[in-house]
Amino acid sequence: MNSHTENDPCCGGQSRRSFLKRSTATAAILAAPPVLVRAAEKKLDEQGAEYFEKLPLKIEVNGKPFSLSVEPRVTLLDLLREQLHLTGTKKGCDYGQCGACTVHVDGQRVLSCLSLAGMQDGKKITTIEGLASGDDLHPLQEAFIRHDGFQCGYCTPGQIMSAVACIKEGHAGSDAEIREYMSGNICRCGAYPNIVDAIREVAQKGGVK
Amino acid sequence: MDNFFDLNIPFAEIDRVDGKAKVTGKADYVAEHDLPNLTYGVLVGSTIANGTVTAIDTKSAERAPGVLAVITHLNAPKVPGYEEGENPAKGRTGGGGLKIFNDNRIRFNGQPIALVVADTFERATYAASLIKAQYNKEAPHTSLADAIKNDKPIEGDNYKEAVRGEKDAWKTAPVKVEGTYIMPIQVHNPMELHATIARWDGDDKVTVWEKTQGVVSTQQSIANAFKLEQKNVQVYAPYVGGGFGSALRTWPHAIAAVMAAKKLGRPVKLVLTRPQMFMLVGYRPEAIQHISIGATPDGKIVGMRHDAYAVTSNYENFNEGLVAQTKQLYACANLATKYNIYPMNLSTPTWMRGPGEATGSFPLECALDELSYALNLDPIELRKRNYAETDPENGKPYSSKFLREAYDLGAEKFGWKGRKPQPRSMEEDGWLVGYGMSSGMFGAFRGEGRVRLKFSGDGMLTIQSAVSDSGPGTATAMTRIASDAMGLPVNKVNFELGNSAFPPGPTQGGSSTTSTLGTTVSMACDSLKKKLVELLKTQESEIALADVQFAQGEMRLKNGKSISYTDALKAANLPSIELTESSGRNPEMQKYSAYSYSVHFVRVKVHPLTGVVRIDKVVSAGDAGRIISEKTAASQMKGGAVGGIGGALMEEGVIDHRYGRWVNNNFADYHVPVHADVPDVEVVFVNKPDPVLNPNGSKGMGEIALIGFAAAVANAVYHATGKRIRELPITPDKVLL
Ligand code: FES
Ligand code: FES
């Protein structure tokens, strides 16, 4: 939770920026850009910080290049959802505990809520929106429909992105192996048996693009 | 009511109609709507569970970049509906009981004390971390065990002792079992975080995207809270990422979002965090229950007593049917039940899948199992010997009851014969093996529904209703019904939902949506057929509806002629036929009692050294009437079993009673089943129509899928180990000790 009482041990009520302000006034004064020092003195530190705190970022998402400028604290998940409006990737926890936000970064499955956007410079990202080619669904997307591998559908993009990787990694040799290597993706609707059916079928056909 | 169709013809299986949207990422859940000028709200929760806020410092947050507003009880705009009625428990206003930012009183840990709104999510989150509050703390009360010892339960009609026959009959029976059973708080935790987007369109109109199981009830709640005309509140809920009950109410955070959007004159998006999902949108209340059963040596139950104690908040009484199943499931002339609730420094609980029955079935079905061992009787045989042929409460016949068939079908599929009766007698690869079963029941209902139907010249049939679908597949079931009724291919039927501008549909809860709305859709199709036949009358004289066959998009007449629906429209010069239809309860039903039933079979493996319990095999058998959509119905049953595995083996909301604070409000600490916890789950339906409840012969399914499941696991663990575990979840420490 975000609330802090007066005796909260974690932050002591001191903000990152008030720390910046204090440090500009003392030892760090020589290292800090003069404009920032002046800004801090005029209590414009927050706005000044805003200017300096954006990172340039070049990434490719689903084959499309993007040239962006992001705050360092923006996660890949929020970048996708809030700035690029690719909302197929879901937020189920924001703490790396549920798998709903699974995407591929350079072909590897990754939890986008635990990945800072700024660290993806030069990387190729694939999201659920980039899996089908036009109207041709990926074999796993088709298998999920056929086996009813979902109910509400909220965990589904993460399940499918994970499943594609699970097969590619060679971790779909048996039901037990599929279950083990898919255990990072929670489905609260409980579609697990059907998801395993879908993955097994595609894995056995060797059908991953 | 007449049945429109031959109820014995099964429905053909279809894929989920929104499947493609769901596998491609196109399904748009609440938080995914982009609006111009959108702002982001983040809630700050109290760090105490009981007391008052004495000071709140919002200055640093207000100065942080991008922050547009900080709302607290000190500056919150008035919610006009909050003025009415002194007690929010009366539920007269929308906000779900707790009047958010209305005063400085803290009633539970995590209660919102501030809402920070900024231009980005990150800035709002950061600024929220700068809010500092000071409190006057009072001792928190969150322990049910302490409350039972020290306090008096809430009084009222709901909490009076109910007696049937002789109250103490169980005491003098020759064979007796007794036990106290504990079930901790469980939390719905749908995968989609609860979210609201609110946008005011002028002073008296608001548009809300809301995660809700009840589009119309959300519309009413917001209209009541802000004193708006109901039609001036537009609610959208096109996709709902699970609910299991958590989205049955309009919670305070939704009111906060609407309030903030008004104050700012800009749309506000407010998404709860996962930890907030444990504290602000309800949970299954902790319950301690004592049950006693007395029987004859040949297994006839003579008498029962069931006392249930559960928690509620200190601002609303939350009631559910903990003792309902005990009153209903078995023929037993003598019975006493008492339901008690205690007000706590907790937020208000809410119905969670299988609501009270899921809680109450745990002691009941474990006690039946215990009794079967005491009598040396097969647990299924014991249940059959006490089979209720009529409603034990009022003697009414059942509209349909195929529980006996469900016992047999399930036992057959599961291989129940393979069970050796003695506990701790089966082993495999060094693991103890146990078989367990239980049964569950839940009322079968039908409420009021309304739909708009349009059949267009291009052959498309569109049906609209203001319902939402949190996952079971409402649009799929309705499509199935309409396509079947009209003899149209599935891809020519389009069922639209999630929009309050559509005719009012029911709230998706209590396993009643398919029964309720399926009736309306059937009736609407029947009206459409009548209109189509009327069109023919200009060409052919004297055609009775009964003489026309509706198949493959055409009307087939007795004289061998046929005409397609679209040609009939063309000939009559009509672009389309539109109609609205409504349906309600079936008055016939007053003569009957109506329930759905489930029987769960579980095979467990218990590791004797570590106490680890693995679920090895599951069969769930259901009497849910005629099955409308086989595939989605099976998924719903499987989902219930998975939820049941969670409740039986891992789910436990832990609160530190010294501070009244949540200890494990996240998925790393509150465990839910993952792939590796769940074996293949097999489902079998009796699939026989209920001839009275509704024209489609369906009954409900969402609740029975889970009700009783925890007991089946506990019973299997007993069979494997000889140890009766009466406290959930069944974790290794309890198995070992
Ligand atoms: S949202 Fe990333 S793991 Fe849950
Ligand atoms: S389909 Fe609803 S959470 Fe998986």
Side-chain angles (χ1 to χ4, degrees), chain B residues 12 50 93 140 196 249 257 328 347 434 452 456 458 476-477 510 529 597 633:
Chain B
N50 192 16
T93 61
T196 308
R249 297 188 70 173
Q328 277 293 339
S347 62
R452 183 184 301 133
S456 333
D458 61 1
T476 306
K529 284 178 181 173
Y597 298 89

Side-chain angles (χ1 to χ4, degrees), chain B residues 2 16 24 67 75 161 171 256-257 283 373 528 572 593 596 724:
Chain B
D2 287 344
R16 206 172 277 267
T24 52
V67 170
N75 67 350
E161 181 176 66
K171 287 186 181 163
Y283 53 90
Y373 287 95
L528 174 62
S593 285
S596 293
R724 179 70 58 191

Side-chain angles (χ1 to χ4, degrees), chain B residues 215-216 219 230-231 233-237 452 464-467 497-505:
Chain B
V215 174
V216 179
Q219 183 191 34
Q230 195 176 326
K231 67 169 175 28
V233 179
Q234 168 64 46
V235 176
Y236 290 110
R452 183 184 301 133
Q464 299 173 323
S465 182
V467 279
L497 43 62
N499 180 343
S500 63
F502 296 159

